[in-house]
Amino acid sequence: MKRLSWLSILVLPLSLACTSEDAPTNQRPANVILISIDTLRADHLASYGYEKATSPHLDRLRADAVQFEQAIAQAPSTLHSHASILSSLLPHHHRASWAAKTRLPEEVTSLPEILHSAGYQTAAFTGGGQMDRVFGLDQGFDVYRQPGSERFQGTVRSALEWLQEAKQAPFFLFLHSYEPHHPYAPAPEYARLFEHDYSGPLPAAISVDLLRQINRDEVEIDADDLEHIIATYDAEIRSMDDGLGHLVEWLRQMELYDDTMIVFTSDHGEEFGEHGRIGWHSHSLYDELLRVPLVVKLPGAAHAGASVSDVVRSLDIAPTILATIGLPAPEDFAGTSLFPLIEGTPAPGLVAVSRMDRSSRRDISSVRTASWKLYRNQLFNLDLDAEEQWDAAVNHPDVVADLERQLVEAVNSRRSF
């Protein structure tokens, strides 16, 4: 593991290190749990307005937390996005790519490396695949395991075994699960919660091959079939949520809940017909794939129940965690601490840049503000067209030019590793 020379300036003990002006003051270092649920759409959670009870445990956690209403991922795919979360860099700069089969470079300073160098015990439990350690995401972790469980409940059990063996605080725990990523194969007890009298031709479990056939128009589906597919996805969210509930209950029993920062998010969403695909992602940069949940429970439940409507980015997560525990963010970080927004301080609007993971040299990116989004030379007025269906570029050339300028500035703001 490489040394982080900039951390040598931290001579105070961790219990006294929380001196950031934009972070709460803690008498002891906070534990940190970062949870990323792969392929989880924000709008399929009750706290984001979904009408179905997919997430009762997350809803209870949200009551103690700050919810960000417009959190935008930096990619619609797993490796690209998670590398941005852990490094606070745009995909253009960290260069970890599934399509190009490139890993996160050793030169990148990641969140777990910073915490490890500051005395944290660090452990990750992931679902493998694009999260495999071969891609360099294990940098800074004492433990980096892939439990092999398709369910988040199994991932949580593995993590709790590690927590029970951990000898001292503080700890940084990163949890990742491919539930509810396709295939959608919920256990029957969860499927029954969301399936109602479906008698169509599709099976109870929706395989990746079936989704491919549907998206190639080899299998035709109607509205009832689509509702069935979505029900299987929702059932997997509900199963994941029980794993979250088990984790939070264990923290309460161990009297660790109050002193633990919990960040709950996702790397990207899933499309269900909004722009032509069913049960798929990675292929576009529309909001059904980029708008993700971001729920942050601060130590002591500070700012409990608050909501932030401003646009924020996944790459802002790492700086916000560091600000919470009083550690400086390295200059390479592209993100910013979200504490000014949490505390209601007016701040310049953040611009969210996202990128598709492609092996070719052709870059496909989007740039988004609270009201506007530019993608594939099309401009969407999100205030009037949240579904991104109508190109407004011809009527607003000044907005197009401004967003193009901001995209170029973001991409050229730092070197690529």
Side-chain angles (χ1 to χ4, degrees):
M1 184 182 303
K2 62 182 179 288
R3 296 181 62 188
L4 304 180
S5 59
W6 64 271
L7 273 171
S8 63
I9 64 173
L10 295 175
V11 296
L12 291 176
L14 273 172
S15 59
L16 301 177
C18 192
T19 58
S20 173
E21 293 181 358
D22 61 354
T25 299
N26 306 308
Q27 295 185 356
R28 55 177 291 181
N31 303 308
V32 180
I33 299 177
L34 172 58
I35 303 168
S36 179
I37 303 301
D38 213 290
T39 323
L40 178 60
R41 288 176 59 136
D43 61 0
H44 278 243
L45 301 171
S47 62
Y48 284 88
Y50 200 46
E51 69 279 4
K52 299 177 184 178
T54 55
S55 53
H57 296 291
L58 178 60
D59 299 341
R60 284 192 282 274
L61 177 67
R62 187 269 178 271
D64 286 341
V66 181
Q67 179 165 293
F68 295 86
E69 305 297 338
Q70 293 195 78
I72 305 300
Q74 272 49 80
S77 54
T78 299
L79 175 57
H80 237 28
S81 183
H82 279 102
S84 286
I85 292 171
L86 295 176
S87 71
S88 188
L89 292 172
L90 291 174
H92 309 70
H93 302 136
H94 64 61
R95 299 180 66 185
S97 167
W98 171 259
K101 296 298 183 284
T102 52
R103 57 183 282 125
L104 187 70
E106 285 288 332
E107 295 80 8
V108 171
T109 300
S110 67
L111 173 66
E113 287 181 297
I114 296 169
L115 295 176
H116 183 275
S117 294
Y120 274 70
Q121 296 180 93
T122 56
F125 296 84
T126 81
Q130 293 195 29
M131 299 298 292
D132 192 286
R133 66 191 316 145
V134 71
F135 291 108
L137 300 182
D138 61 337
Q139 294 175 196
F141 285 107
D142 298 310
V143 171
Y144 194 90
R145 295 177 186 164
Q146 297 161 191
S149 171
E150 296 179 356
R151 309 292 185 196
F152 187 54
Q153 295 178 46
T155 303
V156 167
R157 283 193 296 270
S158 297
L160 294 185
E161 290 175 2
W162 175 80
L163 283 175
Q164 289 167 343
E165 296 173 358
K167 301 301 182 184
Q168 58 183 358
F171 62 81
F172 170 59
L173 177 62
F174 172 53
L175 301 178
H176 162 266
S177 175
Y178 281 113
E179 189 178 37
H181 189 288
H182 61 220
Y184 312 136
E189 62 267 28
Y190 293 104
R192 286 192 293 269
L193 298 174
F194 299 94
E195 193 70 82
H196 300 291
D197 301 323
Y198 175 70
S199 57
L202 300 186
I206 306 300
S207 69
V208 176
D209 284 342
L210 176 58
L211 290 170
R212 287 196 181 101
Q213 291 173 335
I214 291 170
N215 287 314
R216 290 195 298 253
D217 294 326
E218 297 171 359
V219 172
E220 293 186 6
I221 64 171
D222 60 20
D224 287 341
D225 298 328
L226 177 58
E227 185 177 349
H228 168 63
I229 293 171
I230 294 174
T232 62
Y233 173 80
D234 288 343
E236 290 215 341
I237 296 175
R238 182 65 182 81
S239 172
M240 173 281 300
D241 184 74
D242 273 357
L244 175 66
H246 183 45
L247 173 65
V248 171
E249 179 59 26
W250 186 90
L251 292 171
R252 291 186 184 278
Q253 291 176 359
M254 296 295 106
E255 298 183 349
L256 294 171
Y257 179 78
D258 290 342
D259 294 328
T260 298
M261 179 184 191
I262 303 174
V263 180
F264 181 95
T265 191
S266 177
D267 56 343
H268 58 79
E270 190 84 302
E271 183 180 342
F272 289 115
E274 293 85 355
H275 290 93
R277 303 277 185 98
I278 303 295
W280 218 255
H281 52 269
S282 302
H283 59 282
S284 81
L285 295 172
Y286 294 110
D287 269 13
E288 59 266 18
L289 300 188
L290 294 182
R291 182 172 173 247
V292 294
L294 180 56
V295 177
V296 179
K297 200 282 288 184
L298 296 166
H303 302 284
S307 295
V308 174
S309 60
D310 303 66
V311 167
V312 301
R313 296 83 52 91
S314 294
L315 53 77
D316 297 322
I317 290 173
T320 303
I321 289 173
L322 294 178
T324 301
I325 60 178
L327 293 178
E331 292 182 0
D332 278 341
F333 274 20
T336 185
S337 168
L338 298 176
F339 271 102
L341 292 177
I342 292 172
E343 294 171 346
T345 302
L350 297 177
V351 175
V353 172
S354 305
R355 182 178 184 269
M356 290 172 63
D357 187 355
R358 291 291 180 267
S359 57
S360 68
R361 292 185 175 273
R362 183 189 177 199
D363 180 67
I364 303 175
S365 298
S366 66
V367 56
R368 188 193 193 281
T369 66
S371 297
W372 297 99
K373 181 173 181 180
L374 185 66
Y375 167 47
R376 289 188 181 273
N377 298 316
Q378 291 186 309
L379 179 70
F380 301 105
N381 183 338
L382 302 176
D383 293 331
L384 303 177
D385 177 28
E387 291 77 23
E388 301 167 283
Q389 299 292 327
W390 304 102
D391 182 10
V394 68
N395 296 322
H396 299 278
D398 54 331
V399 178
V400 172
D402 183 57
L403 290 176
E404 288 177 338
R405 174 189 59 80
Q406 294 192 69
L407 175 58
V408 170
E409 287 181 355
V411 173
N412 294 337
S413 63
R414 64 197 68 235
R415 67 181 177 88
S416 297
F417 284 89

